[in-house]
Amino acid sequence: MEPSVDVVELISNLLDTGKYKEALSVPNEQKHKDSFKDNCWDLISVIVGKLQDDTIIVKPSLHGACEQLLALIVEASTPEEALLELIEQVEVAKNDAQFGVILVPLQQLLKKLSVKRGRSLEWCLNSISTYIENIPIPEHHLEDKERLLMDCDTNIRRIAKVYSMLPPFYRPFIKELEQSHSNMKAKQIINAFLVSLLGKPLINIDLDPDNNAMSEARQCCSMIIQDICTLEKNIFRVIEYINICHKENQKSVKKANASNDDEIAPYEHREKINMTTLAGLAYTLFSGHFEVPDANIPQVYSAEYTVHTVMLSVVHLLSFTEYGLLAKGIALCNAILKHLPDNATQTLLACSVHFDLCKNLMNVAIYSQYEPLRKEAVKLIGLHINKFVYSGRIMLIKYLIETANHSGMIGYAITLYKNSIDLSLKDATLDKCFTGAQFMNMIKKICNLPHGAESDIVELADQIITSLNFLRYLALRDSENKTGIRDCFQMIESDYLEKLRTGLNMSKAHYEEKMKEIEEGKGLGNDTNISVNVGGNVLDNIPVENKKEIINSALNAFHLIEGLVARLSECININKMQALTMDCE
């Protein structure tokens, strides 16, 4: 009687020693057939484990032998058992060669399970998307045309390569579904998988058509969109989940996984269908960066619904710091604002997403490390605000002033307010939101020194300069007192200008003293250590010349503000004189 042979060890040794033909002949040998069939589970992990990323190049015969052995296992094994082991191998795959070689036998087994495929298909797709999500994303801090270099990055190329493996795997199942319209669950399973692919890592990659029109990543994304549209004729059925996810996040709802996976609908798996993956879908559909069939985006939905839903995705994308996500948020925002009608009613602002958009655009404009995105964010703030009627604009401008905590941004908000008043003054009748209590309230906000005369003038310089220019403009432009600016003069002079003059005198004296100390310290040698506080920042261990330059810049700002204060006072007096003249007449 022949001793029993460990088929797993036998095939493993034959593959290791390069005896590929012998390894392939084992399953067909009568003495090994039963053992081969009984050990398919263990053989799968051994065979897959032989592959490295470069195996197909340095040992193409080994790669081919592994593919053929897996095909033989599919024929010999019990489909359910082999499928579970292949799914596990996807989850533990150590490289893309192992991941790729598993897809073909996985597809073949799923085809065998045509009747019981539902849950098995979902498990397979979930394991695939989990593998893809774990691919690391590089962040090189490149801007503009430099982003073209991203396609040379190892991980970017890896992502494109892995994504290119997917359509040959799932498209046969889509073709089956096109012929049979009854299996709605299977359609949703595949579509939910495709939507999840638009999240991490693809959402982190630059897909801008101007810079990367022919990139592999864009081509992969285009294929995914086509397949989503093939499965779902009305794409708003998926877009609606943006609202659902947003509401869940607001209420901090965490959907618990049911003990029976059948109880959870494909679009309810939040680890796959969440705000990030849905934001990726919204970007591909509405940014204009990809071709989308018109039939898949029905026009029966109101512009308000479309704007508010997609805007939630914009807000989510703008909450990140990575270039790829921010750039997509900016592009999507630009596109969706075109759907918002001009002179939109302020009632739309009952939806808080508009204020959230302002907040996130403001954060990008102030804090993003990418200058082009900062500039675009500033433009979009103005574009968004100016889409509304005057009363709506004032609500958003007021929100900016109250929440910005940044002198330059507050100054920009004041400029937007000034431009709106200027437009309204050209109309036959001044809009009532620029008069009375609303106007007085805005003037108080614009003339705000948070700490009175002790406020940091340097830190507030942009805001102060813009405020003074605005008040001077209004004193000259509104000679007929349509806004009621004359009723504000006393408050402006006593609560703002007087404190500002005091603050300027204190600040000038402080900085001039610091300059004197530096100049005197310079003559005493290099050991003199003088720290200077500018705009709340201590300038220590900085070369003397740089300190002098910074202090001179501050002193110049003080002189500019002094000149504007004097000019504003003069304009206020002129306006008062005009009022007296009109009274005499």
Side-chain angles (χ1 to χ4, degrees):
M1 182 177 178
E2 291 186 21
S4 61
V5 177
D6 186 336
V7 171
V8 177
E9 186 177 348
L10 173 62
I11 291 177
S12 178
N13 290 334
L14 290 171
L15 290 174
D16 289 340
T17 54
K19 298 176 181 178
Y20 307 129
K21 287 184 179 179
E22 289 88 338
L24 289 169
S25 68
V26 170
N28 297 318
E29 294 177 15
Q30 191 62 40
K31 61 182 178 180
H32 295 311
K33 273 190 175 183
D34 291 340
S35 181
F36 179 81
K37 184 175 181 179
D38 293 339
N39 288 279
C40 284
W41 186 293
D42 294 327
L43 278 166
I44 290 171
S45 60
V46 169
I47 293 167
V48 171
K50 301 294 181 186
L51 298 176
Q52 302 298 324
D53 274 328
D54 61 351
T55 301
I56 196 168
I57 298 172
V58 298
K59 293 182 179 180
S61 297
L62 171 60
H63 194 279
C66 290
E67 286 182 319
Q68 291 178 62
L69 281 168
L70 288 172
L72 291 170
I73 288 172
V74 169
E75 292 177 11
S77 65
T78 305
E80 290 85 356
E81 291 182 3
L83 188 71
L84 288 174
E85 178 59 23
L86 285 170
I87 290 173
E88 184 178 336
Q89 289 304 309
V90 170
E91 293 173 352
V92 300
K94 294 180 174 62
N95 55 63
D96 298 336
Q98 293 180 8
F99 173 78
V101 80
I102 296 167
L103 293 180
V104 173
L106 200 59
Q107 182 192 72
Q108 291 169 346
L109 287 169
L110 286 170
K111 286 180 178 178
K112 282 188 174 185
L113 295 169
S114 57
V115 178
K116 305 175 184 177
R117 186 186 297 161
R119 293 179 66 189
S120 300
L121 178 61
E122 190 166 17
W123 291 341
C124 290
L125 296 178
N126 284 343
S127 62
I128 289 170
S129 60
T130 299
Y131 176 84
I132 292 170
E133 286 170 10
N134 290 327
I135 299 175
I137 299 294
E139 186 62 28
H140 295 294
H141 308 298
L142 302 176
E143 299 180 16
D144 295 338
K145 295 297 182 182
E146 294 174 342
R147 301 293 298 177
L148 292 170
L149 298 172
M150 291 293 287
D151 253 11
C152 301
D153 180 88
T154 305
N155 282 325
I156 299 296
R157 293 179 68 83
R158 181 187 171 196
I159 291 164
K161 176 186 173 184
V162 171
Y163 269 75
S164 67
M165 298 177 187
L166 301 179
F169 171 78
Y170 65 74
R171 277 185 169 172
F173 304 116
I174 293 180
K175 287 182 180 178
E176 282 184 18
L177 290 169
E178 283 185 278
Q179 296 167 3
S180 171
H181 301 286
S182 58
N183 199 338
M184 185 59 66
K185 179 72 179 290
K187 281 187 178 182
Q188 291 181 350
I189 288 171
I190 297 175
N191 220 25
F193 165 71
L194 295 175
V195 172
S196 75
L197 293 179
L198 296 175
K200 183 185 176 186
L202 193 60
I203 200 168
N204 295 76
I205 300 175
D206 189 0
L207 301 174
D208 190 306
D210 294 332
N211 294 336
N212 288 286
M214 301 305 295
S215 72
E216 289 182 80
R218 266 189 63 82
Q219 293 173 32
C220 292
C221 194
S222 293
M223 285 191 287
I224 293 169
I225 297 163
Q226 290 171 22
D227 293 328
I228 289 173
C229 291
T230 297
L231 286 167
E232 184 53 79
K233 302 306 179 185
N234 178 4
I235 205 64
F236 274 99
R237 290 189 185 129
V238 186
I239 290 295
E240 168 58 21
Y241 281 89
I242 294 174
N243 288 310
I244 294 170
C245 287
H246 175 69
K247 289 173 184 175
E248 289 174 0
N249 291 342
Q250 278 189 317
K251 296 176 182 177
S252 299
V253 174
K254 290 186 178 180
K255 295 191 74 65
N257 288 327
S259 57
N260 182 352
D261 282 351
D262 280 342
E263 295 178 16
I264 305 177
Y267 293 129
E268 297 296 333
H269 287 275
R270 289 293 165 260
E271 70 278 8
K272 304 300 178 188
I273 302 298
N274 49 50
M275 284 301 291
T276 301
T277 57
L278 291 167
L281 176 64
Y283 162 74
T284 57
L285 294 174
F286 296 100
S287 66
H289 287 184
F290 295 91
E291 289 187 14
V292 181
D294 291 336
N296 290 91
I297 305 180
Q299 300 303 307
V300 295
Y301 295 88
S302 69
E304 178 182 339
Y305 172 80
T306 303
V307 168
H308 286 168
T309 302
V310 176
M311 211 173 265
L312 291 172
S313 293
V314 174
V315 170
H316 181 73
L317 290 170
L318 296 179
S319 67
F320 292 90
T321 57
E322 296 90 344
Y323 182 93
L325 291 109
L326 286 176
K328 289 175 181 62
I330 292 291
L332 184 55
C333 183
N334 218 327
I336 203 61
L337 285 178
K338 293 175 183 176
H339 291 260
L340 191 64
D342 293 331
N343 294 319
T345 174
Q346 74 177 68
T347 56
L348 292 181
L349 297 178
C351 184
S352 62
V353 69
H354 290 281
F355 296 94
D356 294 336
L357 178 63
C358 269
K359 180 181 177 181
N360 283 21
L361 282 172
M362 179 176 64
N363 287 336
V364 174
I366 296 171
Y367 302 113
S368 175
Q369 59 186 308
Y370 303 104
E371 184 181 358
L373 298 184
R374 291 199 303 271
K375 290 180 178 178
E376 282 298 313
V378 172
K379 289 179 185 176
L380 287 172
I381 289 171
L383 181 62
H384 178 218
I385 288 174
N386 289 330
K387 277 285 184 177
F388 289 88
V389 295
Y390 292 126
S391 56
R393 296 183 195 183
I394 303 312
M395 290 174 68
L396 292 172
I397 290 170
K398 184 179 175 182
Y399 175 79
L400 278 181
I401 293 174
E402 289 175 345
T403 59
N405 195 29
H406 182 274
S407 178
M409 184 54 63
I410 294 173
Y412 180 60
I414 294 169
T415 299
L416 292 174
Y417 184 70
K418 172 193 168 185
N419 293 342
S420 292
I421 283 188
D422 186 60
L423 284 173
S424 189
L425 283 169
K426 294 173 182 176
D427 296 335
T429 305
L430 183 68
D431 194 283
K432 64 180 182 181
C433 69
F434 298 121
T435 63
Q438 287 188 68
F439 176 74
M440 177 72 80
N441 184 42
M442 283 298 294
I443 293 297
K444 286 179 180 178
K445 290 184 181 299
I446 289 169
C447 297
N448 179 46
L449 290 173
H451 302 292
E454 296 180 358
S455 299
D456 191 329
I457 306 298
V458 173
E459 187 178 352
L460 299 173
D462 289 341
Q463 175 184 339
I464 291 170
I465 289 169
T466 309
S467 300
L468 294 171
N469 278 326
F470 164 68
L471 294 170
R472 184 174 60 135
Y473 153 81
L474 208 53
L476 290 172
R477 175 70 176 81
D478 190 16
S479 57
E480 298 176 17
N481 198 33
K482 291 180 179 179
T483 61
I485 185 64
R486 284 184 194 135
D487 300 329
C488 303
F489 284 156
Q490 183 177 353
M491 180 272 292
I492 291 170
E493 290 177 307
S494 60
D495 293 347
Y496 188 54
L497 297 185
E498 187 176 326
K499 292 176 183 177
L500 188 52
R501 289 189 189 98
T502 303
L504 280 168
N505 290 334
M506 291 165 57
S507 297
K508 276 175 58 183
H510 172 74
Y511 280 84
E512 286 169 353
E513 179 62 28
K514 286 297 179 184
M515 180 65 81
K516 183 179 178 182
E517 289 177 14
I518 289 173
E519 289 176 342
E520 290 176 353
K522 185 178 178 182
L524 298 174
N526 295 327
D527 295 333
T528 304
N529 183 18
I530 298 173
S531 63
V532 181
N533 189 299
V534 177
N537 299 309
V538 178
L539 307 181
D540 204 359
N541 298 321
I542 293 177
V544 168
E545 288 305 316
N546 293 84
K547 288 182 180 179
K548 289 175 68 175
E549 184 179 337
I550 292 167
I551 291 173
N552 276 323
S553 176
L555 290 171
N556 288 337
F558 299 150
H559 291 310
L560 173 59
I561 292 171
E562 274 186 325
L564 290 173
V565 169
R567 181 67 179 131
L568 174 57
S569 296
E570 182 183 336
C571 292
I572 287 174
N573 289 330
I574 291 172
N575 192 296
K576 288 178 179 178
M577 291 294 293
Q578 289 173 334
L580 289 172
T581 303
M582 290 174 67
D583 289 342
C584 292
E585 292 175 354

